[in-house]
Amino acid sequence: MADVAIICGSASDAAIADKAKKVLDEHKVSWDYQVISAHRDPDTLDAYVKSSTCKVFIAIAGLSAALPGVIASKTDRPVIGVPVSGTLNGLDAILSIVQMPKGVPVACVGVDNGDNAAHLAIRILKLGKK
């Protein structure tokens, strides 16, 4: 299976996922892409996270941006959150992603910055190879 799982909370976030896919492709890192809402389809998200053998998750979400935290609550693998710009220019999503409770860590990159999420995932994967 893929090294990196990219999950968007909405199909409208696909352009941000495309940035991550491009970087991963350039570095020959395998990925899987899914659109699964933490709010609208929690059972599907739970099943996907539990069945995935990826090494790193990239979770792209706006508004309440619950997706990265929900994924992190279901796995001990690294989760990188990508906040999506919205009515508050992504501030709401950033705050949601960085305010995880103790024991549920999520890394956070800049608003709409799928590129940096992929670069961070690549660095994490390199650590596992040392």
Side-chain angles (χ1 to χ4, degrees):
M1 192 171 238
D3 287 327
V4 178
I6 303 167
I7 306 172
C8 287
S10 170
S12 64
D13 303 331
I16 298 165
D18 289 345
K19 295 177 189 179
K21 293 178 206 175
K22 181 179 178 192
V23 171
L24 294 171
D25 284 343
E26 289 169 356
H27 288 84
K28 296 180 177 37
V29 173
S30 61
W31 51 266
D32 181 55
Y33 173 69
Q34 301 288 321
V35 177
I36 309 171
S37 169
H39 295 107
R40 292 182 292 275
D41 210 355
D43 294 336
T44 301
L45 180 62
D46 187 51
Y48 179 78
V49 171
K50 288 179 180 176
S51 68
S52 176
T53 59
C54 75
K55 296 177 179 102
V56 180
F57 288 95
I58 295 175
I60 302 169
L63 299 173
S64 70
L67 183 63
V70 171
I71 293 170
S73 75
K74 298 175 180 303
T75 184
D76 60 357
R77 290 168 279 171
V79 177
I80 303 166
V82 182
V84 175
S85 57
T87 55
L88 298 177
N89 297 319
L91 180 60
D92 47 349
I94 286 174
L95 293 175
S96 177
I97 292 170
V98 300
Q99 293 297 325
M100 291 295 107
K102 291 179 184 177
V104 187
V106 174
C108 184
V109 296
V111 175
D112 297 336
N113 203 334
D115 309 68
N116 263 1
H119 285 295
L120 181 54
I122 291 165
R123 289 183 179 195
I124 291 168
L125 291 169
K126 285 181 181 177
L127 286 173
K129 293 180 181 179
K130 289 185 177 185

